[in-house]
Amino acid sequence: MKEINWKTKFEPFKIKMTEPVAVTTYAQRLEALKKAFYNPFNIPAEKVTIDFLTDSGTGAMSQTQWGAMMSGDESYAGAKSFYRLRDVITLITGCKYVIPVHQGRAAERILMGVIASTKPAQTIVSNAHFDTTRANVEANKMEALDIPVKEAYEFGKAAPFKGNIDIAKLKKVIKERGAKNISLVIMTVTNNTMGGQPASMANIRETSAICKAAGIPMFLDCARFAENACFIKQREKGYANKTPLQIAQEMFSYAQGAWMSSKKDALVNMGGFLAFREDTTWTQKSREALILGEGFLNYGGMSGRDMEALASGLIEGLDENYLNYRLESTRYLGEGLLKAGVPIINPPGGHAVYIDVKKFLPDFKQENFPAQSLVCHMYKMGGIRTVEIGTLMFGKRDAKGKWMAADMELVRLAIPRRVYTKSHFDYVIEVMAHIAKNKKDIKGIAVSWAPQALAHFSAKLREVK
Ligand code: F0G
């Protein structure tokens, strides 16, 4: 008998503990939205039915993780939980020098501070910096340069590895600026800013070879390395019979170091690390910065129980049944939206589906914040909370304070891990199908008040006709 692949047809877990979701009326949601000044960041989570704001720290831990937490060693120095975590990180990344931090941006703050202190006014190059990475590079007066491949901007057109770095541009940038002026090349896996798209092994390998020849270190920003490894297994020739762990090990083997916001693929609510292959000046200075700002070398920003949950989560996050389900469920949501008449960045990413709002609402006035308008409308119609990646987030204003339209108008539906079931996704697809048939009901947005930096988090907005 031929084996039928049932494996991706169901969630590979059952539920032992539940948490209620809000079941609300249209009037209640309208009221909540008004009170939040049309900024869903201000809506209490208790009033949200499906929370797609982020996949960061919002996942469900397993019984193994909760069990491991009970054996957390809370010693200040030399805790066994630290050694366990270090050994798991070394197994996956091949990096022996591990610096535990409370979340990804703490690793970025430490690393970028160290790089800037050894060589000022440098350029950092990436397939695309995440916002906090860019902010930490710029806060240290360095330049953050993104060179994604051009397919990354062709939202409607599917390609297997839209998260790649543009190799020709990388060579050009090194030639034009001189290798000595580039301190670091970052491969973000998966590439969150460009749609949660994976980078191929061939691209990581080639980037590494170019960097090595030029004497530039390459690091992985590896928040979603396991999802990236699973995409490589599914899409790249030669990897179908390898395990996600083996693929991850090869990905890391090309890098001199890595940092991780473990709130993503490591299935914890808080945690992270910075890891180095060699004990260099950067490693030593990072240890000093860790003690100064986070905590002692053996816990950094985490408690012993957090380190236990993280060590277990890193292993679980590489489980093939889990990863197949994870990518399949995101694909299910993405294709459901496409069928409902909602254009997305195609193919769907690993952790999120991104709606292409310029294509969805072509006649919507640009000055009325189309993506933010859709974000508000999705909450109003279905209690679905998402985030705008568009004019409000990029936040550029001209000399007169007028908002300048961003290139992209996207809405991100980021999916918490092991939290929502297929029927939750069906509900979202149904709400979106209704919205797609009644686009004229979507009201524009105007800004009443916004701070100078990072406006989207706290801006006060209002509806316009
Ligand atoms: N790098 C990447 C690729 C990320 O996606 C994030 C966070 C960070 C670094 C920073 O890590 O939040 O632990 O300090 N991304 C979240 C998101 C916030 O919603 O995409 P952190």
Side-chain angles (χ1 to χ4, degrees), residues 10-22 45 48-62 65-66 227 263-264 267-269 316 322 325-326 329-330 333 351 385 414-426 428:
F10 53 83
E11 287 87 1
F13 51 82
K14 52 188 177 173
I15 297 164
K16 188 164 346 218
M17 195 191 287
T18 65
E19 184 182 351
V21 297
V48 174
T49 301
I50 306 287
D51 206 343
F52 283 162
L53 194 61
T54 179
D55 65 318
S56 182
T58 51
M61 292 212 297
S62 66
Q65 287 177 289
W66 282 109
E227 289 169 5
K263 302 167 74 171
K264 284 84 169 176
L267 299 163
V268 288
N269 305 116
E316 260 176 40
Y322 157 72
Y325 141 77
R326 172 74 176 157
S329 56
T330 307
L333 177 64
H351 70 294
R385 178 156 69 171
I415 305 165
R417 292 169 181 77
R418 305 190 293 205
V419 169
Y420 295 114
T421 63
K422 204 167 176 178
S423 62
H424 289 120
F425 287 3
D426 286 335
V428 173

Side-chain angles (χ1 to χ4, degrees), residues 52-57 101-108 128-133 136 187-193 221-224 259-264 269-272 351 354 387 412 414 457:
F52 283 162
L53 194 61
T54 179
D55 65 318
S56 182
V101 295
H102 78 279
Q103 64 180 83
R105 68 197 70 181
E108 292 164 353
H129 295 76
F130 179 66
D131 322 6
T132 58
T133 323
N136 274 292
M187 281 297 266
T188 309
V189 287
T190 56
N191 192 342
N192 185 10
T193 304
D221 174 355
C222 66
R224 301 177 182 88
W259 72 89
M260 182 181 199
S261 166
S262 304
K263 302 167 74 171
K264 284 84 169 176
N269 305 116
M270 192 53 76
H351 70 294
Y354 296 66
V387 71
R412 183 181 80 166
F457 288 117

Side-chain angles (χ1 to χ4, degrees), residues 56-57 82 85-86 89 97-108 110 221-223 225 258-275 290 294 296-303 306-311 314:
S56 182
F82 170 72
L85 173 62
R86 182 199 59 190
I89 293 170
Y97 303 94
V98 172
I99 291 180
V101 295
H102 78 279
Q103 64 180 83
R105 68 197 70 181
E108 292 164 353
I110 290 172
D221 174 355
C222 66
F225 76 95
W259 72 89
M260 182 181 199
S261 166
S262 304
K263 302 167 74 171
K264 284 84 169 176
D265 276 2
L267 299 163
V268 288
N269 305 116
M270 192 53 76
F273 64 82
L274 171 61
L290 182 78
E294 286 273 302
F296 183 65
L297 301 173
N298 298 156
Y299 66 87
M302 285 181 283
S303 53
D306 291 340
M307 293 192 283
E308 289 288 344
L310 175 49
L314 279 165

Side-chain angles (χ1 to χ4, degrees), residues 123 143 145 147 168-182 216:
T123 298
E143 181 199 10
L145 184 68
I147 48 166
K169 273 201 189 135
L170 177 63
K171 289 182 181 160
K172 193 162 165 250
V173 168
I174 295 174
K175 197 166 165 207
E176 282 174 5
R177 303 189 182 210
K180 67 175 192 323
N181 297 314
I182 299 167
I216 304 167

